[in-house]
Amino acid sequence: RTLRPAVVLAALALFVVAQWPVAPPDVPVVTFLDVGQGDAILIRDPSGATALVDGGRDPLVLRRALRRQGVRSVDLLVVTHGDADHVGGLVGIGDVLDVGAMWYPAGQSLGEILPEVIEAVEDGGAAVAAVGAGHRVMLGRIEVQVLGPRRRYASDNDGSIVLWVAVGAATALLTGDVEAVGQAELPIVRPAILQVPHHGSATTDIEWLVGTVGEVAVVSVGPNTYGHPDPDVMAALDAAGAAVHTTVGEGDVVIRLCDACPAAP
């Protein structure tokens, strides 16, 4: 199969492994944590700069996941939106994690749990901000840019924070639970690594998915009764030629994010 130009341009080396050692990584990595039916993603630079995106549903499950990865502090905590399977695991997070700053989506409904988390993180001394498209930060070599939300949405899922993560030409798109309406308003991008939105739900527009997915797709999902991931979504990813990984099938999914990673041992 002909490789897409964006992937060929970077000569991207992606190595997916079951688990990363506790020591900090020697290259930038994105780690999709196995927290069951929910999302929790680590972005880590060799400098020690770290971001956590969402926290799953269960605080105990999240704490075990952070312990597996040896993470005790984060420079940035991002809560994509207020659904319990993204923010529930962050209740009491200040007891186990030092947080430097926190982002949550501007102009959206916060739900029942997120205000409690915001208050606790602020009380811990973190700088907390509601953000929308255009916000960005550098984590060592890693650029993290907010692509959405671009406005207020009727659906809390469409109001998810969507992140573009890049080290040079090595890129990832982290999508929260954004659905078809929000997807249609995002910039046209082709990341090497795509977090499949909303745990692989049928709320994703298939045309957008096929036009966006690059070489690797990751579904953060656990045992559930919602039908996630949707068979049509998985079939579209397969037809597009993406290598698909799921946290329910593989545990923590760690992907090296770099332009010229050394070969894996």
Side-chain angles (χ1 to χ4, degrees):
R1 190 169 60 87
T2 301
L3 293 177
R4 295 181 176 86
V7 177
V8 175
L9 176 66
L12 186 64
L14 296 172
F15 300 96
V16 181
V17 296
Q19 186 167 322
W20 200 265
V22 171
D26 59 358
V27 295
V29 296
V30 178
T31 302
F32 299 83
L33 297 171
D34 178 14
V35 291
Q37 178 64 14
D39 279 4
I41 303 166
L42 286 171
I43 305 168
R44 303 179 71 188
D45 184 76
S47 67
T50 302
L52 172 64
V53 182
D54 289 333
R57 182 182 298 274
D58 187 329
L60 293 178
V61 172
L62 177 64
R63 293 176 189 193
R64 286 197 295 267
L66 294 174
R67 194 177 305 120
R68 285 196 301 273
Q69 298 298 327
V71 172
R72 297 177 179 84
S73 65
V74 295
D75 299 275
L76 176 65
L77 171 63
V78 180
V79 180
T80 61
H81 63 301
D83 282 1
D85 57 340
H86 293 251
V87 72
L90 297 172
V91 172
I93 194 64
D95 296 337
V96 295
L97 196 69
D98 291 328
V99 178
M102 176 180 172
W103 290 351
Y104 65 94
Q108 315 301 315
S109 171
L110 301 184
E112 297 181 0
I113 304 173
L114 181 52
E116 175 185 347
V117 174
I118 291 172
E119 182 179 2
V121 171
E122 284 182 324
D123 289 346
V128 177
V131 302
H135 280 74
R136 67 181 67 205
V137 69
M138 294 298 297
L139 298 171
R141 294 173 53 199
I142 307 171
E143 180 183 13
V144 180
Q145 179 181 352
V146 180
L147 300 186
R150 308 186 74 78
R151 58 178 176 85
R152 182 177 177 86
Y153 293 88
S155 164
D156 293 342
N157 287 342
D158 279 320
S160 294
I161 289 178
V162 177
L163 296 176
W164 181 254
V165 179
V167 180
T171 56
L173 185 66
L174 307 182
T175 56
D177 278 357
V178 68
E179 299 180 349
V181 172
Q183 291 163 8
E185 297 181 9
L186 291 172
I188 298 172
V189 293
R190 181 61 67 95
I193 305 156
L194 173 68
Q195 178 200 6
V196 181
H198 199 182
H199 322 292
S201 166
T203 55
T204 282
D205 178 81
I206 296 296
E207 183 176 351
W208 175 88
L209 181 67
V210 172
T212 302
V213 70
E215 293 298 297
V216 177
V218 182
V219 185
S220 294
V221 66
N224 68 89
T225 59
Y226 307 117
H228 301 165
D230 179 74
D232 290 341
V233 167
M234 298 299 278
L237 293 170
D238 183 64
V244 182
H245 303 272
T246 68
T247 53
V248 73
E250 303 173 43
D252 296 349
V253 177
V254 184
I255 303 180
R256 300 154 70 93
L257 182 64
C258 53
D259 294 333
C261 289

